Amino acid sequence: MPYQPPVRDHLFLLRDVLQIERYGDLPGFSEASMDVVAQIVEEAARFTGEVLAPLNSVGDKQGCTWHADHSVTTPDGFKAAYKALVEGGWPALGADKAYGGQGLAHVVNLSFSEMSSSANMAFSMYPGLTHGAYSAIHTGGSQDQKDLYLPKLASGEWGGTMNLTEPHCGTDLGLLRTKAVPQADGSYRITGQKIWISGGEHDMADNIVHLVLARIEGAPAGTRGISLFIVPKFIPDAEGKPGERNTVFCAGLEEKMGIHGNATCVIQHEESVGWLVGEENQGLRLMFVMMNEARIGVGLQGVAQAEAAYQAAASFAKDRLQGRSLTGPKNPDGPADPIIVHPDVRRMLMDSKAVIEAGRAFLFWTALHGDLAHGSPDEAVRQKGSDYMALMTPVVKGFLTDRGFKVCSDAMQVHGGSGFTEHFPASQYMRDCRIALIYEGTNGVQALDLVGRKLAAEGGRGVMGFFAEIDAYVGAHENDPALAPIIEGLSHAKEELQDATMWLMANGLANPDHAGAASTDYMHLFGLTALAYMWAMMAKAAQDKIAAGDADPYYATRLTLARYYVERILPETGAHLAKLKTGADTLMSLPAEAF
């Protein structure tokens, strides 16, 4: 069965769980009523399911082609699909209305983004990175730069990239060597090589706007001396149209494990013409606008690939006949039962579904707080939204991609030997998903960012606010018999997360290696607790529907999944707590030569 966009799940979150209609008077929400949002979600499902999904396997098998003239051809059908994407206005969904966007809330735009990524992850990266470039210029660009570039980037008519990594440096950007030489006309000449540049060259957009980190001659060493530059493939002419070809080009494509349909380029700058964005030596701060948005997008990729892989596995499990049920034949007229009758197959499918639905809720809930951070008139709400966006971003990226890859692995396992072949889609989902654990900062880096920076930010205000919110939710619903097991599980997980937080505060400062050794377990403990909170909210919304007389089995299924999550997945928190409390002593005791 091909990928089916989960429209019902998205609308349940937006309408019943997050209740976005409450914010109808705020920017981004006032532009579309819930009925309009529902129409957008349904049309997004049609476009992604009918236009993008059929090209997923094509992109995987064909890949992109580099030519001696430094051009790159995308797989068959990509160019026409991209044209339809732009004509449909999809890239502009969440962009500023002042620059041709539709101005919708990010949480609504996220619905389209997830469906797009599930349908065709490699394709969806092109407009995804373009929006990141748009956001960086929107935040730090001059008015002239905004007027020139943002309408084209918002529409998707022009593509965008982020040029960070160099052959000798990735995470440690302070080591970068790309240089920028100022010119008399106010421009700069950029020289250097960037690698692993997604969408760095292709045949779908009229122009590609590279955002490049470089060091101006004489700038301080390390990250304090990094500036950000706009380097377009074609220098816009007086009318703002693509003009003279710039001296930036693709020197080759990476041969990758997955996402073959996305052009991952080596980009060579040979005194290419660029323009400074913002102030000198402030480039990393501006690039983090793009990187943080990308990290939320990568967490989304984990959920998106998990959803597609789960659907394929569930369909296979219903059709594949193998063995008999332990409690007697369930398909007595056939030679064997479908494998979905076997408890271990169900375990993998239930694990997957419980994580996907709560992971999606966590994404949408986080995005909603981002919308409130920008649009709420209440200063306390804005502060909370900002705190949560900072705190949750590494968890969204690290935890959801780790768990998303596990879902893809389990989906392959459900397929058995068939999944290890290219006759079924499980292999591609697993290969495509694997990069999400690596790029935009590896998951180990995300965990270290969480414990090293985000917990202590503003005196721990964000995490203490999260604990208080869960406590309030538990207090409000702990006497509801229909929700009691779920609320009890959430309360226990929160206590373990708080215990871990206190341990880090007491031990991490005394020996930073303790924080580093505990960081991944802490991130997973945090993610498991956050998903428990999501299931508590989803269970409450479902129970309210049932109490109101709605007999739709969809809501009873949500309650079953919530209980399953609390009973079978949430107990992992105890193991993570026990491991992180062992500290770094044994971990760091072996000398390097013993490895």
PDB file of all heavy atoms in Angstrom, residues 437-457:
ATOM      1  N   LEU A 437      19.887  11.491  12.110  1.00  0.00           N
ATOM      2  CA  LEU A 437      20.567  11.392  13.397  1.00  0.00           C
ATOM      3  C   LEU A 437      21.915  12.106  13.382  1.00  0.00           C
ATOM      4  O   LEU A 437      22.560  12.251  14.428  1.00  0.00           O
ATOM      5  CB  LEU A 437      20.799   9.926  13.788  1.00  0.00           C
ATOM      6  CG  LEU A 437      19.600   9.114  14.276  1.00  0.00           C
ATOM      7  CD1 LEU A 437      18.567   8.884  13.176  1.00  0.00           C
ATOM      8  CD2 LEU A 437      20.068   7.765  14.813  1.00  0.00           C
ATOM      9  N   ILE A 438      22.340  12.535  12.183  1.00  0.00           N
ATOM     10  CA  ILE A 438      23.688  13.077  12.003  1.00  0.00           C
ATOM     11  C   ILE A 438      23.683  14.562  11.678  1.00  0.00           C
ATOM     12  O   ILE A 438      24.363  15.362  12.340  1.00  0.00           O
ATOM     13  CB  ILE A 438      24.433  12.299  10.896  1.00  0.00           C
ATOM     14  CG1 ILE A 438      24.582  10.822  11.279  1.00  0.00           C
ATOM     15  CG2 ILE A 438      25.800  12.920  10.610  1.00  0.00           C
ATOM     16  CD1 ILE A 438      25.108   9.938  10.169  1.00  0.00           C
ATOM     17  N   TYR A 439      22.929  14.953  10.633  1.00  0.00           N
ATOM     18  CA  TYR A 439      23.104  16.342  10.187  1.00  0.00           C
ATOM     19  C   TYR A 439      22.362  17.349  11.063  1.00  0.00           C
ATOM     20  O   TYR A 439      21.551  16.995  11.880  1.00  0.00           O
ATOM     21  CB  TYR A 439      22.826  16.530   8.707  1.00  0.00           C
ATOM     22  CG  TYR A 439      21.473  16.215   8.128  1.00  0.00           C
ATOM     23  CD1 TYR A 439      20.342  16.000   8.896  1.00  0.00           C
ATOM     24  CD2 TYR A 439      21.323  16.150   6.742  1.00  0.00           C
ATOM     25  CE1 TYR A 439      19.125  15.733   8.320  1.00  0.00           C
ATOM     26  CE2 TYR A 439      20.108  15.877   6.152  1.00  0.00           C
ATOM     27  CZ  TYR A 439      19.015  15.664   6.929  1.00  0.00           C
ATOM     28  OH  TYR A 439      17.805  15.393   6.346  1.00  0.00           O
ATOM     29  N   GLU A 440      22.729  18.600  10.882  1.00  0.00           N
ATOM     30  CA  GLU A 440      22.283  19.725  11.731  1.00  0.00           C
ATOM     31  C   GLU A 440      22.710  19.531  13.186  1.00  0.00           C
ATOM     32  O   GLU A 440      22.024  19.970  14.113  1.00  0.00           O
ATOM     33  CB  GLU A 440      20.760  19.915  11.634  1.00  0.00           C
ATOM     34  CG  GLU A 440      20.233  20.065  10.228  1.00  0.00           C
ATOM     35  CD  GLU A 440      20.954  21.141   9.426  1.00  0.00           C
ATOM     36  OE1 GLU A 440      21.509  22.078  10.032  1.00  0.00           O
ATOM     37  OE2 GLU A 440      20.968  21.040   8.180  1.00  0.00           O
ATOM     38  N   GLY A 441      23.854  18.915  13.385  1.00  0.00           N
ATOM     39  CA  GLY A 441      24.355  18.633  14.725  1.00  0.00           C
ATOM     40  C   GLY A 441      23.970  17.229  15.124  1.00  0.00           C
ATOM     41  O   GLY A 441      22.780  16.909  15.235  1.00  0.00           O
ATOM     42  N   THR A 442      24.960  16.347  15.301  1.00  0.00           N
ATOM     43  CA  THR A 442      24.661  14.966  15.647  1.00  0.00           C
ATOM     44  C   THR A 442      23.819  14.896  16.915  1.00  0.00           C
ATOM     45  O   THR A 442      23.771  15.846  17.706  1.00  0.00           O
ATOM     46  CB  THR A 442      25.952  14.164  15.869  1.00  0.00           C
ATOM     47  OG1 THR A 442      26.627  14.693  17.019  1.00  0.00           O
ATOM     48  CG2 THR A 442      26.872  14.228  14.661  1.00  0.00           C
ATOM     49  N   ASN A 443      23.182  13.765  17.112  1.00  0.00           N
ATOM     50  CA  ASN A 443      22.321  13.643  18.290  1.00  0.00           C
ATOM     51  C   ASN A 443      23.096  13.712  19.595  1.00  0.00           C
ATOM     52  O   ASN A 443      22.569  14.155  20.618  1.00  0.00           O
ATOM     53  CB  ASN A 443      21.505  12.346  18.201  1.00  0.00           C
ATOM     54  CG  ASN A 443      20.389  12.463  17.171  1.00  0.00           C
ATOM     55  OD1 ASN A 443      20.227  13.507  16.537  1.00  0.00           O
ATOM     56  ND2 ASN A 443      19.628  11.401  17.004  1.00  0.00           N
ATOM     57  N   GLY A 444      24.363  13.285  19.570  1.00  0.00           N
ATOM     58  CA  GLY A 444      25.198  13.470  20.755  1.00  0.00           C
ATOM     59  C   GLY A 444      25.429  14.940  21.057  1.00  0.00           C
ATOM     60  O   GLY A 444      25.449  15.363  22.227  1.00  0.00           O
ATOM     61  N   VAL A 445      25.601  15.736  20.020  1.00  0.00           N
ATOM     62  CA  VAL A 445      25.759  17.185  20.185  1.00  0.00           C
ATOM     63  C   VAL A 445      24.467  17.800  20.704  1.00  0.00           C
ATOM     64  O   VAL A 445      24.480  18.704  21.558  1.00  0.00           O
ATOM     65  CB  VAL A 445      26.199  17.831  18.855  1.00  0.00           C
ATOM     66  CG1 VAL A 445      26.119  19.347  18.926  1.00  0.00           C
ATOM     67  CG2 VAL A 445      27.615  17.392  18.501  1.00  0.00           C
ATOM     68  N   GLN A 446      23.327  17.323  20.200  1.00  0.00           N
ATOM     69  CA  GLN A 446      22.039  17.831  20.697  1.00  0.00           C
ATOM     70  C   GLN A 446      21.884  17.557  22.191  1.00  0.00           C
ATOM     71  O   GLN A 446      21.439  18.412  22.959  1.00  0.00           O
ATOM     72  CB  GLN A 446      20.888  17.182  19.930  1.00  0.00           C
ATOM     73  CG  GLN A 446      20.899  17.397  18.440  1.00  0.00           C
ATOM     74  CD  GLN A 446      20.952  18.850  18.044  1.00  0.00           C
ATOM     75  OE1 GLN A 446      20.218  19.680  18.581  1.00  0.00           O
ATOM     76  NE2 GLN A 446      21.836  19.175  17.113  1.00  0.00           N
ATOM     77  N   ALA A 447      22.255  16.337  22.611  1.00  0.00           N
ATOM     78  CA  ALA A 447      22.142  15.984  24.024  1.00  0.00           C
ATOM     79  C   ALA A 447      23.046  16.857  24.883  1.00  0.00           C
ATOM     80  O   ALA A 447      22.657  17.313  25.971  1.00  0.00           O
ATOM     81  CB  ALA A 447      22.488  14.498  24.208  1.00  0.00           C
ATOM     82  N   LEU A 448      24.258  17.109  24.378  1.00  0.00           N
ATOM     83  CA  LEU A 448      25.193  17.951  25.128  1.00  0.00           C
ATOM     84  C   LEU A 448      24.702  19.391  25.186  1.00  0.00           C
ATOM     85  O   LEU A 448      24.852  20.078  26.207  1.00  0.00           O
ATOM     86  CB  LEU A 448      26.581  17.882  24.474  1.00  0.00           C
ATOM     87  CG  LEU A 448      27.770  18.311  25.336  1.00  0.00           C
ATOM     88  CD1 LEU A 448      27.847  17.492  26.608  1.00  0.00           C
ATOM     89  CD2 LEU A 448      29.069  18.189  24.535  1.00  0.00           C
ATOM     90  N   ASP A 449      24.092  19.862  24.101  1.00  0.00           N
ATOM     91  CA  ASP A 449      23.504  21.207  24.092  1.00  0.00           C
ATOM     92  C   ASP A 449      22.383  21.304  25.119  1.00  0.00           C
ATOM     93  O   ASP A 449      22.255  22.303  25.837  1.00  0.00           O
ATOM     94  CB  ASP A 449      22.978  21.511  22.681  1.00  0.00           C
ATOM     95  CG  ASP A 449      22.307  22.875  22.597  1.00  0.00           C
ATOM     96  OD1 ASP A 449      22.886  23.861  23.083  1.00  0.00           O
ATOM     97  OD2 ASP A 449      21.199  22.957  22.022  1.00  0.00           O
ATOM     98  N   LEU A 450      21.597  20.241  25.220  1.00  0.00           N
ATOM     99  CA  LEU A 450      20.487  20.232  26.179  1.00  0.00           C
ATOM    100  C   LEU A 450      20.986  20.359  27.611  1.00  0.00           C
ATOM    101  O   LEU A 450      20.525  21.229  28.368  1.00  0.00           O
ATOM    102  CB  LEU A 450      19.671  18.947  26.008  1.00  0.00           C
ATOM    103  CG  LEU A 450      18.550  18.709  27.017  1.00  0.00           C
ATOM    104  CD1 LEU A 450      17.470  19.781  26.893  1.00  0.00           C
ATOM    105  CD2 LEU A 450      17.946  17.320  26.827  1.00  0.00           C
ATOM    106  N   VAL A 451      21.953  19.512  28.003  1.00  0.00           N
ATOM    107  CA  VAL A 451      22.393  19.530  29.398  1.00  0.00           C
ATOM    108  C   VAL A 451      23.401  20.633  29.674  1.00  0.00           C
ATOM    109  O   VAL A 451      23.497  21.117  30.811  1.00  0.00           O
ATOM    110  CB  VAL A 451      22.982  18.163  29.821  1.00  0.00           C
ATOM    111  CG1 VAL A 451      21.974  17.055  29.604  1.00  0.00           C
ATOM    112  CG2 VAL A 451      24.278  17.850  29.101  1.00  0.00           C
ATOM    113  N   GLY A 452      24.151  21.046  28.644  1.00  0.00           N
ATOM    114  CA  GLY A 452      25.201  22.032  28.866  1.00  0.00           C
ATOM    115  C   GLY A 452      24.755  23.464  28.743  1.00  0.00           C
ATOM    116  O   GLY A 452      25.335  24.360  29.366  1.00  0.00           O
ATOM    117  N   ARG A 453      23.711  23.702  27.953  1.00  0.00           N
ATOM    118  CA  ARG A 453      23.269  25.083  27.714  1.00  0.00           C
ATOM    119  C   ARG A 453      21.804  25.307  28.079  1.00  0.00           C
ATOM    120  O   ARG A 453      21.471  26.233  28.812  1.00  0.00           O
ATOM    121  CB  ARG A 453      23.484  25.452  26.237  1.00  0.00           C
ATOM    122  CG  ARG A 453      24.928  25.529  25.802  1.00  0.00           C
ATOM    123  CD  ARG A 453      25.027  26.169  24.412  1.00  0.00           C
ATOM    124  NE  ARG A 453      26.400  26.261  23.943  1.00  0.00           N
ATOM    125  CZ  ARG A 453      26.998  25.360  23.163  1.00  0.00           C
ATOM    126  NH1 ARG A 453      26.319  24.281  22.784  1.00  0.00           N
ATOM    127  NH2 ARG A 453      28.249  25.496  22.764  1.00  0.00           N
ATOM    128  N   LYS A 454      20.943  24.457  27.525  1.00  0.00           N
ATOM    129  CA  LYS A 454      19.516  24.747  27.586  1.00  0.00           C
ATOM    130  C   LYS A 454      18.939  24.595  28.996  1.00  0.00           C
ATOM    131  O   LYS A 454      18.042  25.358  29.392  1.00  0.00           O
ATOM    132  CB  LYS A 454      18.769  23.872  26.580  1.00  0.00           C
ATOM    133  CG  LYS A 454      19.234  24.071  25.150  1.00  0.00           C
ATOM    134  CD  LYS A 454      19.122  25.524  24.725  1.00  0.00           C
ATOM    135  CE  LYS A 454      19.754  25.831  23.376  1.00  0.00           C
ATOM    136  NZ  LYS A 454      19.213  25.082  22.264  1.00  0.00           N
ATOM    137  N   LEU A 455      19.403  23.632  29.774  1.00  0.00           N
ATOM    138  CA  LEU A 455      18.872  23.463  31.128  1.00  0.00           C
ATOM    139  C   LEU A 455      19.161  24.671  32.011  1.00  0.00           C
ATOM    140  O   LEU A 455      18.308  25.104  32.789  1.00  0.00           O
ATOM    141  CB  LEU A 455      19.463  22.202  31.782  1.00  0.00           C
ATOM    142  CG  LEU A 455      18.939  20.854  31.320  1.00  0.00           C
ATOM    143  CD1 LEU A 455      19.566  19.742  32.149  1.00  0.00           C
ATOM    144  CD2 LEU A 455      17.421  20.784  31.399  1.00  0.00           C
ATOM    145  N   ALA A 456      20.365  25.210  31.877  1.00  0.00           N
ATOM    146  CA  ALA A 456      20.780  26.320  32.746  1.00  0.00           C
ATOM    147  C   ALA A 456      20.335  27.681  32.233  1.00  0.00           C
ATOM    148  O   ALA A 456      20.464  28.682  32.954  1.00  0.00           O
ATOM    149  CB  ALA A 456      22.300  26.296  32.902  1.00  0.00           C
ATOM    150  N   ALA A 457      19.826  27.754  31.015  1.00  0.00           N
ATOM    151  CA  ALA A 457      19.454  29.044  30.432  1.00  0.00           C
ATOM    152  C   ALA A 457      18.420  29.760  31.300  1.00  0.00           C
ATOM    153  O   ALA A 457      17.469  29.151  31.791  1.00  0.00           O
ATOM    154  CB  ALA A 457      18.900  28.831  29.019  1.00  0.00           C
TER     155      ALA A 457
END
